[in-house]
């Protein structure tokens, strides 16, 4: 089994910054990618950013140039550095861990419980 724990959420003013962290743990852990999704009230969960273990990343258009994803593969940790935050970024942010080899997903995902990010004055 895989345990996924997020941290770093909180209340921040528009234009501010936050850094989210996610740590995955478990025995015989083989990770294809780790990433961040978010879900605001009344909306579906959406991909924010993700990065494979080999270093390939993707971002949703609304956060490009503002958010940066990074990973420490040795620690099974992924970070999301968020800058220039906007009220519309308010959501519960969930860490996703996708198991697989370095080159191929197994189609098996594990999720954290989420960390709330609130952008408001």
């Amino acid at each position: 089994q895989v345990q996924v724990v997020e941290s770093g959420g909180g209340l921040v003013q528009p234009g501010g910054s936050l850094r989210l962290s996610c740590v995955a743990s478990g025995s015989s852990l083989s990770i294809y990618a780790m990433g961040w999704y978010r879900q605001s009230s009344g909306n579906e969960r959406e991909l924010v950013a993700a990065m494979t273990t080999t270093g390939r990343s993707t971002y949703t258009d609304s956060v490009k140039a503002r958010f940066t994803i990074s990973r420490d593969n040795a620690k099974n940790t992924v970070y999301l550095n968020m800058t220039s935050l906007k009220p519309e970024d308010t959501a519960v942010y969930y860490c996703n861990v996708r198991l697989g080899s370095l080159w191929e997903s197994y189609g098996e995902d594990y999720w954290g419980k989420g960390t709330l990010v609130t952008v408001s004055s």
Side-chain angles (χ1 to χ4, degrees):
Q1 62 179 27
V2 179
Q3 185 174 8
V4 182
V5 180
E6 308 102 330
S7 62
L11 175 64
V12 64
Q13 295 187 150
S17 300
L18 281 175
R19 183 179 177 87
L20 305 182
S21 299
C22 172
V23 180
S25 61
S27 60
S28 301
L29 199 58
S30 182
I31 299 174
Y32 170 73
M34 297 181 70
W36 294 92
Y37 290 68
R38 66 186 181 188
Q39 185 171 22
S40 58
S41 297
N43 294 83
E44 296 294 318
R45 188 174 299 186
E46 66 173 354
L47 173 69
V48 179
M51 178 175 281
T52 66
T53 302
T54 58
R56 190 173 73 254
S57 62
T58 186
Y59 298 86
T60 190
D61 287 342
S62 63
V63 307
K64 287 181 178 178
R66 297 191 298 119
F67 293 9
T68 302
I69 190 168
S70 60
R71 287 186 64 180
D72 185 337
N73 292 335
K75 297 181 178 180
N76 295 137
T77 300
V78 65
Y79 307 93
L80 186 67
N81 188 51
M82 305 183 293
T83 63
S84 301
L85 283 162
K86 304 174 181 179
E88 50 263 44
D89 295 318
T90 296
V92 177
Y93 284 70
Y94 296 91
C95 181
N96 172 76
V97 178
R98 178 163 290 180
L99 302 186
S101 70
L102 291 176
W103 311 107
E104 184 178 33
S105 172
Y106 296 157
E108 184 177 357
D109 288 349
Y110 289 84
W111 298 88
K113 295 179 180 178
T115 185
L116 177 63
V117 173
T118 303
V119 185
S120 176
S121 299

